[in-house]
Amino acid sequence: MKMDWLNQELADIKNKGLYRRLNTIESGQTPRIIKDGRELILLSSNNYLGLTNHPKVKKAAIDAIAEYGTGAGGSRLTSGNTYLHERLEEKIARFKGTEAAIVFSTGYMANIGTIASMMNKGDLILSDELNHASIIDGCRLSHAEVKVYPHRDASCIEKTLQSSRHQKKLIVTDGIFGMDGDIAPLPEIVEIAEKHDAMVMVDDAHATGVLGKHYSGTADHFNLRVDINMGTLSKALGSTGGYVAGSNELIEYLRNRARSFIFSTALPPPAVAAAGAAIDIIETENPAKRLWDNVAFYRKGLENMGFSINSNAQIIPLIIGDSRRTLDAAAELERLGVYSLGIRPPTVPEGKGRIRTSLMATHSRKDIDDALFAIGVIREKFGL
Ligand SMILES: *Cc1c(COP(=O)(O)O)cnc(C)c1O
């Protein structure tokens, strides 16, 4: 009886076309996966560089288990800290070109812990309307005033800062936006921030290992510096975990104040070792070049079909609109042998349902050609 409301809520979710179910994949994150016994082209993974399956990454994880075991056994500030963790943080700092870095159990925890510990009542956070949910939740936990600005609208940031009398000010943005594949206008943001004494935080979940001369992210791409460089180890780095890179003081502060760092078990040794090996590979084997070649080839195929594309990165959404039609189109694409997820609110704004396609460095030309053929079929059928 007292739980009846659950059925009502679930019925309501289904009526709106927003019901979510788990899809089960019977293989690793490879360009072709097995699902329900069928082989499908995987066109929606965040394993952008294919590193979850790289022999050196796998070996590093296996070796770490052999030496350190499976779990960390405690938080970083108790018994869970090892040389592996410290070496990874040094490596991330070097990779990002900062003084120091700190790793969290997930990117989600890095965002909520960082934003909530740095910003308080009386402070102001300026947040892009398409920022990731973990940024939104960090803002909510912070008790600061939050102004959500229109997507990539630097002039709105400036206007808001001009009339602000808050103590501390933070501008936070995704680097590459996860559902759109466009890039934050960081040069404008940094310039405005300088003028108004605001801190800048960039979430490089999708840009780490992918974007920039050294493939270290959005600041690298624009050749400038930001105060707080956040990212994940879980996407292009093929592991799990989140990081923040910045000044020594920033990292020391987060170690002392970020509750999601303090009160959560340290990353498991194999995850730490895998992420470290992934950075080595990015620095020595240049896997992102294959990714960008694939992106160019795929984009051209889509543009030849008549799609207009706003993305500048490895994430390219096919905008559909209505939530149900989005699901129908994604299901049709799967019948045609391509696995790419239909994305609906609240992950994207109302009426902006889409199939979020993403490329991997390990896709072959044939994988992409076959995927383009299937997309051509749904384009006709759904009038995309
Ligand atoms: C995936 C993602 C996160 C969360 O990272 P996890 O390591 O998966 O918890 C944070 N921000 C953005 C922009 C993301 O895409």
Side-chain angles (χ1 to χ4, degrees):
M1 284 301 220
K2 63 189 177 188
M3 303 283 271
D4 278 354
W5 66 273
L6 287 172
N7 285 323
Q8 301 230 319
E9 288 285 331
L10 286 167
D12 188 46
I13 292 169
K14 282 181 186 161
N15 281 335
K16 288 180 179 146
L18 297 180
Y19 189 73
R20 292 166 185 252
R21 48 183 100 241
L22 292 168
N23 294 295
T24 311
I25 291 172
E26 296 142 32
S27 62
Q29 294 285 300
T30 41
R32 302 219 175 207
I33 56 167
I34 306 294
K35 178 167 179 282
D36 304 325
R38 292 174 64 217
E39 187 186 87
L40 301 172
I41 296 166
L42 177 61
L43 200 67
S44 59
S45 181
N46 296 331
N47 180 26
Y48 303 124
L49 299 176
L51 295 183
T52 61
N53 293 298
H54 194 291
K56 286 183 189 162
V57 176
K58 290 203 274 197
K59 180 168 188 306
I62 292 165
D63 289 351
I65 290 179
E67 190 169 351
Y68 292 89
T70 50
S75 72
R76 292 288 298 285
L77 291 166
T78 60
S79 62
N81 189 39
T82 67
Y83 276 122
L84 277 181
H85 295 88
E86 294 182 1
R87 256 188 295 171
L88 177 61
E89 288 173 340
E90 284 164 19
K91 194 174 279 186
I92 292 169
R94 209 169 348 103
F95 180 52
K96 298 291 291 187
T98 60
E99 285 176 356
I102 180 172
V103 294
F104 293 75
S105 305
T106 67
Y108 187 101
M109 305 243 277
N111 269 336
I112 61 169
T114 301
I115 298 171
S117 68
M118 295 186 70
M119 304 305 284
N120 303 302
K121 211 164 180 301
D123 296 337
L124 173 67
I125 305 174
L126 287 139
S127 174
D128 189 289
E129 65 177 339
L130 296 188
N131 276 345
H132 188 262
S134 54
I135 294 177
I136 297 170
D137 292 355
C139 292
R140 287 177 183 163
L141 281 170
S142 75
H143 305 294
E145 186 178 342
V146 182
K147 293 264 198 221
V148 175
Y149 59 86
H151 185 46
R152 301 180 72 253
D153 188 343
S155 66
C156 180
I157 298 175
E158 171 125 65
K159 254 181 253 149
T160 308
L161 284 174
Q162 268 160 359
S163 58
S164 150
R165 298 162 137 248
H166 300 79
Q167 294 186 319
K168 301 200 290 298
K169 290 159 277 192
L170 173 71
I171 306 168
V172 57
T173 181
D174 280 20
I176 294 175
F177 285 85
M179 297 298 140
D180 294 77
D182 52 357
I183 299 172
L186 213 50
E188 290 93 324
I189 288 176
V190 166
E191 192 187 324
I192 293 165
E194 283 301 314
K195 212 161 34 170
H196 297 277
D197 210 22
M199 301 177 285
V200 177
M201 174 169 175
V202 175
D203 177 339
D204 266 339
H206 300 283
T208 305
V210 169
L211 199 62
K213 190 160 158 242
H214 308 284
Y215 305 115
S216 79
T218 312
D220 175 17
H221 173 69
F222 288 112
N223 194 23
L224 43 78
R225 294 186 156 270
V226 300
D227 305 293
I228 305 158
N229 297 272
M230 177 271 165
T232 73
L233 311 175
S234 60
K235 288 170 181 159
L237 299 191
S239 181
T240 197
Y243 70 81
V244 172
S247 68
N248 284 325
E249 294 77 15
L250 171 69
I251 303 313
E252 207 179 326
Y253 178 86
L254 293 176
R255 241 185 252 138
N256 281 276
R257 282 286 168 79
R259 292 171 65 81
S260 59
F261 174 81
I262 300 168
F263 297 107
S264 192
T265 296
L267 276 172
V272 176
I279 294 174
D280 291 343
I281 289 163
I282 288 162
E283 288 178 334
T284 56
E285 295 181 15
N286 207 2
K289 185 173 178 310
R290 280 275 316 265
L291 175 64
W292 287 105
D293 286 348
N294 280 346
V295 170
F297 182 75
Y298 177 64
R299 269 187 82 105
K300 195 142 175 252
L302 290 175
E303 280 165 354
N304 286 345
M305 266 184 246
F307 281 100
S308 75
I309 295 166
N310 289 323
S311 159
N312 297 301
Q314 77 280 18
I315 300 156
I316 302 185
L318 310 174
I319 305 290
I320 295 174
D322 177 69
S323 292
R324 278 176 191 289
R325 266 167 57 80
T326 300
L327 286 195
D328 290 347
E332 181 67 23
L333 199 57
E334 186 170 333
R335 271 194 292 279
L336 294 165
V338 177
Y339 186 62
S340 189
L341 286 186
I343 309 280
R344 298 156 290 165
T347 310
V348 293
E350 207 60 54
K352 294 273 180 69
R354 68 197 61 188
I355 297 176
R356 173 197 184 267
T357 67
S358 61
L359 274 287
M360 294 191 281
T362 42
H363 280 128
S364 68
R365 284 294 144 94
K366 176 155 171 39
D367 294 331
I368 300 172
D369 267 332
D370 291 354
L372 284 167
F373 180 81
I375 289 168
V377 174
I378 64 155
R379 176 176 160 79
E380 289 291 314
K381 189 156 175 180
F382 290 85
L384 306 184

